[in-house]
Amino acid sequence: MKKLIFILFINLFSAQKVWNLQDCLNYASTNHPLIKQATVNIQKNDRQIAASKGMLLPSVFAGVNHSYSFGSSINQSNNQREALNTQYDQAFAQASAELFNWKNYLNISLSKLNKTTNTYKLKQAQNEVKLNVIQTFFAYQNSRSWLEVLETQISGIEEQIKRTEKEVETGNRPKSDIYDIKANLGTLQEQWVSAKNQRDLAKINLLNALNITEDYIDFKMENENYLAVENFNNSEFTNQLIENNPAYKVVIAEIKAQEKNIALERSNYFPTLNGNYSWSTFYNKFLGNTNLSSTSFSDQFGQNKNQSVSFGLNIPVFNKFQVKNNVEIAKLNVINSNYDKQLIINDLTKSINSIKAQYLNAQEKYNLLELNFENQKLSFQKSEEKYKEGLMDAYTFFIVRNNWLQANFNLISSKNDVMQQVELLKILKDF
């Protein structure tokens, strides 16, 4: 039974996938619901464009009617009202078209602009999802690194307790050393529990950012090389990122759509020209009265044919100021969209400058921590020699060892911070 459980455990473990950051970004950029919604909106725009173009085509419909009339009705043979029971059949077809309506052409243009807007919104949604994935990915990596540091500390202190107990038995160490080390072990174990919870929550947040509900993936850093950013000193660096950002392109496209909306509302001032064509025929039959004869169906069908063609020109004269007010509202919408543009520029400038500052600070911090790590490592090695020679007590050696491990984590965390800012900047530069 134990062997079976072990085999199942090995199979489960081996089935777990391991993703790096790029795997996460690739998955999220195609499978996240926000991306799928944005894609559906583009498909809807295609339908709206087709519908707008369809308004240029005529409407055609046909039908038949079959009815009975009892009592007083018009005798179709002499056009007099009489007490008659009749059967009436009619066939008809009709076509109508707006020969000229400027609003239809503007609707086509507006539909195309809306599709352009939603295309940029798709890219914007992909960027927002990716930015969230990057932040949660590195948060998980940092929390996992801290947990690994604590596990290393706990493992080391447990080994230290065993060695110290042996030295106490031989009289080389005072028994108080054991108490000091065990007291610190309890503190580390408490920190380990908190760190484990933080790591688990960080992974839940990462899975949520990927829209994955089952925990079957592990996330690791495979490529630890980070790229230096050379464009920070370029005066046009920020402006180029802003102008090519999909959020900025969305608001520009929305402004164009709002301006087109002004022309659309103004088109209600223009006249429209309509054309209609209709064709019909009927068959009339007397019921229950043999004294009245009815012409045969085929003869009536040919004799009663009727066709008509008509044209109509509709000229707006007064519409309760509705068109005027709608035009003014459309103008105000353009003004609002320009304010949205300013807000987007402010937000993007803040984000870009924030990433720039955090990158430079993280890079400087990493360089300092790299030097400090080497010093802490040398200090630990010298202290380990002193401890083995009995020249340092267990508690002091514990502090030195933990300082070295803490410096190791700080270096990893700082490097992750540099890489995170670089990855965030890559998304903003991905035009």
Side-chain angles (χ1 to χ4, degrees), residues 384-429:
E384 188 176 27
E385 293 176 1
K386 291 180 180 180
Y387 176 75
K388 290 179 180 179
E389 295 172 359
L391 300 176
M392 179 180 289
D393 61 87
Y395 180 74
T396 303
F397 177 66
F398 169 78
I399 296 298
V400 174
R401 185 176 185 277
N402 283 356
N403 287 341
W404 173 54
L405 291 172
Q406 180 67 50
N408 187 18
F409 168 72
N410 290 340
L411 185 65
I412 294 173
S413 177
S414 179
K415 189 172 185 178
N416 285 343
D417 194 15
V418 176
M419 294 174 63
Q420 177 178 338
Q421 304 311 316
V422 171
E423 294 296 337
L424 292 174
L425 190 60
K426 283 181 182 179
I427 301 302
L428 294 179
K429 292 174 68 176

Side-chain angles (χ1 to χ4, degrees), residues 99 274-278 308-312:
L99 302 178
N274 301 312
N276 290 278
Y277 168 80
S278 64
S308 67
V309 178
S310 64
F311 298 93

